[in-house]
Amino acid sequence: MNTYWKLVRLDGVPVIAQENFREAHMVLHQDASRLAGATGCNTLMGSYQVENEHIAFNQVATTKRACPAPQMETECNFLAALKQATAWRVEGARLVLSGDNNEPLASFEAVHLY
């Protein structure tokens, strides 16, 4: 918790940060179970609940800036992964979010700790 998680894969496809855009990432703040980050286009905010290996993201919202197609596609898929995520696991410096079928939806790398 309180780690900056850089998004590196969505549905098994590598996520490449685009020049002049914030990289897609999230921070799961322990205080008030708050989610913050960026989708690769817009700012991301919301809340989450964790119980053992289960996770649920709630009231996820973004700013509404228009971006080129690659960033909008990453944003759409990132938000879908958060909506579908039901499980999480940390493997060293990696965070993996999975859905009901236990297939990875999104993978992140720890960039730095708060």
Side-chain angles (χ1 to χ4, degrees):
M1 300 296 176
N2 296 331
T3 300
Y4 180 108
W5 295 106
K6 175 184 171 182
L7 181 63
V8 293
R9 293 182 87 74
L10 275 170
D11 289 325
V13 178
V15 174
I16 309 298
Q18 301 294 315
E19 197 171 320
N20 298 324
F21 287 92
R22 291 180 67 191
E23 67 186 4
H25 73 279
M26 68 178 183
V27 178
L28 303 175
H29 294 280
Q30 281 184 300
D31 57 307
S33 297
R34 194 170 45 86
L35 164 69
T39 64
C41 175
N42 286 289
T43 301
L44 172 71
M45 67 224 69
S47 63
Y48 69 96
Q49 292 177 306
V50 169
E51 186 176 322
N52 301 317
E53 72 277 358
H54 298 287
I55 193 164
F57 294 95
N58 305 302
Q59 299 174 324
V60 176
T62 65
T63 53
K64 299 296 181 194
R65 190 173 118 200
C67 294
Q71 288 82 13
M72 293 306 293
E73 183 177 345
T74 297
E75 176 175 294
C76 183
N77 293 338
F78 187 5
L79 294 174
L82 293 177
K83 191 175 196 174
Q84 296 169 30
T86 58
W88 72 308
R89 67 183 183 277
V90 175
E91 303 164 343
R94 288 181 42 118
L95 166 66
V96 178
L97 297 178
S98 302
D100 288 333
N101 59 2
N102 215 24
E103 287 293 317
L105 297 168
S107 299
F108 303 81
E109 287 180 359
V111 175
H112 56 77
L113 303 176
Y114 279 73

